[in-house]
Amino acid sequence: MFTPRAIGLVRRPYTETTEIPKGLGAKHDVDGVLEIFPEFEVGLTDIEGFSHLFVLWVFDRAQGFELIGMPPFDDRPHGVFATRSPRRPNPIGLTVVELLRREGRLLHVRGIDMLDQTSVLDIKPYLSGIPSESLRRGWLAEAEARTRRQPSS
Amino acid sequence: MFTPRAIGLVRRPYTETTEIPKGLGAKHDVDGVLEIFPEFEVGLTDIEGFSHLFVLWVFDRAQGFELIGMPPFDDRPHGVFATRSPRRPNPIGLTVVELLRREGRLLHVRGIDMLDQTSVLDIKPYLSGIPSESLRRGWLAEAEARTRRQPSS
């Protein structure tokens, strides 16, 4: 196995986990910056041609993991691999961001849902998506349907 | 930082890197199995409701990294973060697979492009994609266009 190392840090307005929009219908279109460390800047060559990027990052404020847990926006427990829980065997987060512009080793992006100062592990170009009509979203779609039937008063 | 651990292994027909379809237009719709280790099986609860999954895995046969490299299907070098090169600062691979069925701790999937015996780090539900009409694909689209203009004889 390898030893993870940060290639950069997330810079964003939110600083507390409670401030991050969560749950069904949460909007994650927050702008922020991925600040890549100088020694990795040359690895960004040609990245500005891509509109969207995968960002792999570390849930560095999560402690341990649990294989079954209750998501914040459902009343039923689910397996960790069927959720985006931070408490995972390997605490790696994955976010798709839109690349707004590059300024040297700063990537200005839209759509970040990480905390400020989160360690970035990797960036990959987003090449294609699965069309929404081909997707099934399991318990999440069911939870959304229940929410629509029983709006919180 | 955390210490990566395998949650399972990839089982697939291909065993040599040279056998994996690469390059422009390569088809990755190979069926295979993600064999999750018994101690993590309960984390798969409810995963069968999702049609597509993100799989994070380790380029465990890659040595070191290079920040600029030549992809196999282009004649120009690009930064590692603008490619899917295995030689990355953190050698983590990312693949979207279609979940065909679950048999206990075996996930039968379509679309794997990893080698047999590759260590799996994480599985996450695929919830939504970026519509293709919103995507720009930089040097890759340019390389594809060059290939179309100059078909190999």
Side-chain angles (χ1 to χ4, degrees):
Chain A
M1 275 290 176
F2 65 100
T3 302
R5 69 177 93 184
I7 63 160
L9 294 175
V10 173
R11 305 286 189 192
R12 64 165 282 161
Y14 292 107
T15 54
E16 300 296 327
T17 50
T18 53
E19 293 178 65
I20 294 190
K22 262 189 233 177
L24 302 174
K27 293 293 182 201
H28 294 303
D29 54 353
V30 173
D31 291 3
V33 171
L34 307 178
E35 177 188 329
I36 305 306
F37 297 141
E39 62 267 38
F40 295 108
E41 180 177 344
V42 70
L44 298 175
T45 305
D46 294 336
I47 205 166
E48 51 271 32
F50 293 89
S51 60
H52 293 77
L53 304 172
F54 287 113
V55 184
L56 301 184
W57 46 278
V58 184
F59 285 110
D60 40 21
R61 273 147 285 191
Q63 298 281 320
F65 67 91
E66 49 180 14
L67 292 175
I68 289 271
M70 197 83 81
F73 41 86
D74 198 6
D75 53 1
R76 301 164 198 205
H78 304 286
V80 66
F81 302 123
T83 74
R84 299 175 67 92
S85 164
R87 304 192 57 205
R88 321 181 70 78
N90 293 285
I92 306 175
L94 172 64
T95 301
V96 176
V97 298
E98 182 183 355
L99 179 59
L100 301 174
R101 68 184 191 281
R102 175 182 168 193
E103 271 177 52
R105 61 192 181 84
L106 304 183
L107 300 179
H108 293 262
V109 299
R110 174 158 296 163
I112 59 175
D113 56 358
M114 316 79 145
L115 298 171
D116 191 44
Q117 303 288 331
T118 290
S119 295
V120 175
L121 291 176
D122 201 6
I123 295 174
K124 298 176 191 289
Y126 185 105
L127 301 180
S128 66
I130 308 293
S132 58
E133 61 270 23
S134 305
L135 288 180
R136 279 186 304 117
R137 301 185 307 130
W139 68 263
L140 187 62
E142 292 166 21
E144 284 174 350
R146 281 198 304 276
T147 306
R148 280 194 298 270
R149 283 196 305 268
Q150 303 168 333
S152 53
S153 55
Chain B
M1 274 291 175
F2 65 99
T3 302
R5 70 178 92 184
I7 62 160
L9 294 175
V10 173
R11 304 287 190 192
R12 67 164 282 163
Y14 291 108
T15 54
E16 299 295 328
T17 52
T18 52
E19 293 179 62
I20 294 190
K22 264 188 230 173
L24 303 174
K27 293 293 181 201
H28 294 303
D29 54 354
V30 173
D31 291 3
V33 172
L34 308 178
E35 177 186 330
I36 305 305
F37 297 142
E39 63 268 36
F40 296 109
E41 180 177 345
V42 71
L44 297 176
T45 305
D46 295 338
I47 205 165
E48 50 270 33
F50 294 90
S51 60
H52 292 75
L53 304 172
F54 287 114
V55 183
L56 302 183
W57 47 277
V58 184
F59 285 109
D60 40 21
R61 272 146 282 190
Q63 298 280 321
F65 66 91
E66 50 180 13
L67 292 175
I68 288 269
M70 197 83 80
F73 41 86
D74 199 5
D75 53 0
R76 299 162 198 209
H78 305 288
V80 66
F81 303 124
T83 74
R84 299 175 68 92
S85 164
R87 303 192 56 205
R88 321 181 71 80
N90 293 286
I92 305 174
L94 172 65
T95 302
V96 176
V97 298
E98 181 183 357
L99 179 59
L100 301 175
R101 69 184 189 279
R102 175 182 169 195
E103 270 178 55
R105 60 192 182 82
L106 304 183
L107 300 179
H108 293 261
V109 299
R110 174 159 296 163
I112 60 175
D113 55 1
M114 317 79 145
L115 298 173
D116 190 46
Q117 303 288 332
T118 291
S119 295
V120 175
L121 291 174
D122 201 5
I123 295 174
K124 300 176 190 290
Y126 185 104
L127 301 179
S128 65
I130 308 293
S132 58
E133 61 269 24
S134 305
L135 288 181
R136 280 186 304 114
R137 301 186 307 130
W139 68 263
L140 188 62
E142 293 165 21
E144 284 174 350
R146 281 198 304 276
T147 304
R148 280 194 298 270
R149 284 197 303 269
Q150 303 169 331
S152 53
S153 53

